Amino acid sequence: MATNQPQGSPAPLTLIENARVFTPFPCEHSALLLAGSRIVWMGRDPGDIRLPCPVERLDAAGRWLIPGLVDPLAHIIGGGGEGGFGFRTPELYADEAIRAGVTTLVAALGTDSITRNLPQLLGKVRELQAAGLSAYMYTGSYHLPAKTLSGSVEQDLMLLPDIIGVGEIAISDHRSSMPSHQVLAETVAQARVGGLLAGKQGVALFHLGDGREGLTPLRRLVEQTDLPRRQLYPTHCNRSRPLLQEAIAWGRDGGYIDFTTSTLPQLLDDGELDAAEALVLCLRQGVAPDRISFSSDANASLPRFDAEGRLLGLEAGRIDSIWQQAVLAMTREGLSPEQVLPVVTRNPADILGLNRKGRLAVGQDADLLLVDPDTLNIAATFAMGRRLWHRPDPD
Ligand code: ZN
């Protein structure tokens, strides 16, 4: 990739040529023109367009050009501590997200909302924004009533551009606040109203534990209130086969399903499915492809408990797992790029209401990745029109 552009500095115009473009769907274009932070032209022959000023040209040499990954759940200030203070997980560095191809992420608090809090989370979101990423956050935490920055979920959504929903609210989990139906309904309603007034989706992200109720609390919300199903976004749906079966039924009824890509061999032995396998089962059983997304759960604690609830061990989730599972879905599971790429780009962007994210089209934010077609390794990451990272050329 020959370029004179210093890494990270904004190019007024960047022309990427000779790419195999996935919008996330395959298309006939092979070239993209970026101006500032947007995609302003797509086509086959850049000779067609008159450029008003010098342009940085970049030969993609047949690599895939795909949208930057959209990660709906990352614990960017760490999480956990389920074994005490010695078990806290570390913060995420911007560099880790950039190398993992994640150009948009949504941050959340987790189990600990006492020594980790929303001002810290907002500060870290702003740090990632300053590094060139599109970072957002959920207000609240595992526990209800939701802790907020400004006094209410509605106010947080309306007053803070960084906040796009509430979550991750723990249900069916021994670490939840055991929220009643009424408290859940009120919280989702606050996110919906705040979202409507702020022009945001206002989703409620739900952490699904391995508890006995499974998705029942969300079914109850749909059946007993006027809240639309699309406000509800359950994650960790690949935690076990019974929960996956419930999630597939939920997805066939039109609900969204999110699969966690961070996992451990011991968790797979305990009955968790990896996200790639869960995706195949969903598609085979008739869930509409646009209902499904992957999230990394980066830097969350991945604790293991015995049958009596005693902690056995704990590790941290990884942001690079999101692309690893997408690759596994294409290689090990044999799915096509057009079946897999939307799950990590367009679908989460649409579910979260991030309209300029998740697809390559004129007018969209210039968040994109170059991918080596042989290895499926990420070769370069562009965010908001800036090339933030590229794999060094072998000399
Ligand atoms: Zn969780």
Side-chain angles (χ1 to χ4, degrees):
M1 244 177 287
T3 173
N4 296 322
Q5 194 65 36
Q7 185 174 328
S9 72
L13 285 176
T14 306
L15 181 66
I16 304 175
E17 300 173 272
N18 301 320
R20 184 168 167 212
V21 178
F22 293 90
T23 65
F25 301 105
C27 70
E28 79 270 20
H29 303 313
S30 57
L32 256 81
L33 183 66
L34 318 181
S37 63
R38 300 288 183 90
I39 300 167
V40 296
W41 177 86
M42 293 172 72
R44 291 191 67 81
D45 183 6
D48 289 355
I49 44 172
R50 280 174 188 280
L51 300 173
C53 60
V55 62
E56 180 196 358
R57 298 179 93 98
L58 196 151
D59 184 358
R63 290 189 179 94
W64 292 9
L65 187 61
I66 69 170
L69 308 182
V70 178
D71 185 352
L73 177 60
H75 294 277
I76 62 176
I77 58 169
E82 278 96 334
F85 290 105
F87 290 84
R88 288 157 66 91
T89 58
E91 286 197 6
L92 177 81
Y93 291 105
D95 217 38
E96 297 174 84
I98 292 164
R99 285 163 188 262
V102 173
T103 53
T104 300
L105 61 79
V106 193
L109 293 176
T111 324
D112 176 3
S113 59
I114 305 293
T115 69
R116 302 182 198 271
N117 54 50
L118 291 168
Q120 290 171 338
L121 194 65
L122 179 61
K124 184 74 188 183
V125 162
R126 300 253 167 106
E127 177 197 319
L128 297 184
Q129 290 169 356
L133 297 171
S134 296
Y136 303 91
M137 61 184 273
Y138 302 100
T139 190
S141 69
Y142 262 32
H143 301 133
L144 295 180
K147 289 188 179 168
T148 63
L149 272 167
S150 68
S152 76
V153 170
E154 292 106 309
Q155 284 202 95
D156 279 6
L157 273 154
M158 290 186 68
L159 302 182
L160 285 153
D162 319 75
I163 293 183
I164 60 168
V166 64
E168 55 168 327
I169 301 165
I171 54 171
S172 308
D173 193 296
H174 58 106
R175 291 165 291 170
S176 77
S177 55
M178 308 296 159
S180 67
H181 167 73
Q182 186 59 29
V183 168
L184 280 178
E186 285 169 11
T187 307
V188 177
Q190 288 157 10
R192 172 165 174 76
V193 172
L196 283 172
L197 293 172
K200 299 173 181 174
Q201 195 66 30
V203 292
L205 180 82
F206 288 93
H207 159 106
L208 265 290
D210 55 6
R212 62 191 79 210
E213 283 232 277
L215 275 162
T216 303
L218 300 193
R219 288 207 166 276
R220 224 180 272 136
L221 288 176
V222 171
E223 286 157 13
Q224 298 180 17
T225 74
D226 299 317
L227 293 164
R229 195 184 287 266
R230 66 193 188 90
Q231 299 298 135
L232 312 174
Y233 194 13
T235 186
H236 312 320
C237 293
N238 50 328
R239 185 184 288 285
S240 67
R241 281 183 193 275
L243 184 60
L244 177 69
Q245 280 314 313
E246 267 195 83
I248 287 172
W250 168 263
R252 284 164 61 160
D253 289 343
Y256 298 135
I257 307 173
D258 185 73
F259 295 128
T260 303
T261 54
S262 288
T263 187
L264 300 172
Q266 300 95 320
L267 292 171
L268 296 174
D269 289 344
D270 290 348
E272 188 169 302
L273 296 90
D274 71 23
E277 183 182 0
L279 172 61
V280 173
L281 294 173
C282 266
L283 293 176
R284 239 187 243 150
Q285 294 186 47
V287 178
D290 64 355
R291 305 281 104 180
I292 311 163
S293 65
F294 284 180
S295 62
S296 72
D297 210 13
N299 295 54
S301 58
L302 305 178
R304 291 177 298 118
F305 297 95
D306 69 13
E308 294 181 10
R310 283 185 290 258
L311 183 73
L312 296 171
L314 180 150
E315 288 184 46
R318 294 184 56 96
I319 199 155
D320 55 6
S321 64
I322 197 163
W323 182 244
Q324 285 167 4
Q325 287 294 319
V327 169
L328 273 182
M330 290 184 273
T331 53
R332 190 192 68 201
E333 304 293 341
L335 295 179
S336 63
E338 51 266 47
Q339 286 175 301
V340 176
L341 295 178
V343 170
V344 290
T345 59
R346 181 202 63 171
N347 296 356
D350 287 354
I351 294 166
L352 295 164
L354 300 173
N355 301 329
R356 289 212 297 269
K357 301 298 185 187
R359 37 167 78 68
L360 301 185
V362 171
Q364 293 293 103
D365 286 342
D367 296 336
L368 34 102
L369 309 179
L370 286 171
V371 173
D372 191 310
D374 300 321
T375 60
L376 299 186
N377 287 333
I378 295 169
T381 303
F382 290 75
M384 298 299 278
R386 294 167 64 197
R387 193 176 70 170
L388 297 183
W389 175 79
H390 70 112
R391 194 172 289 284
D393 290 325
D395 293 317

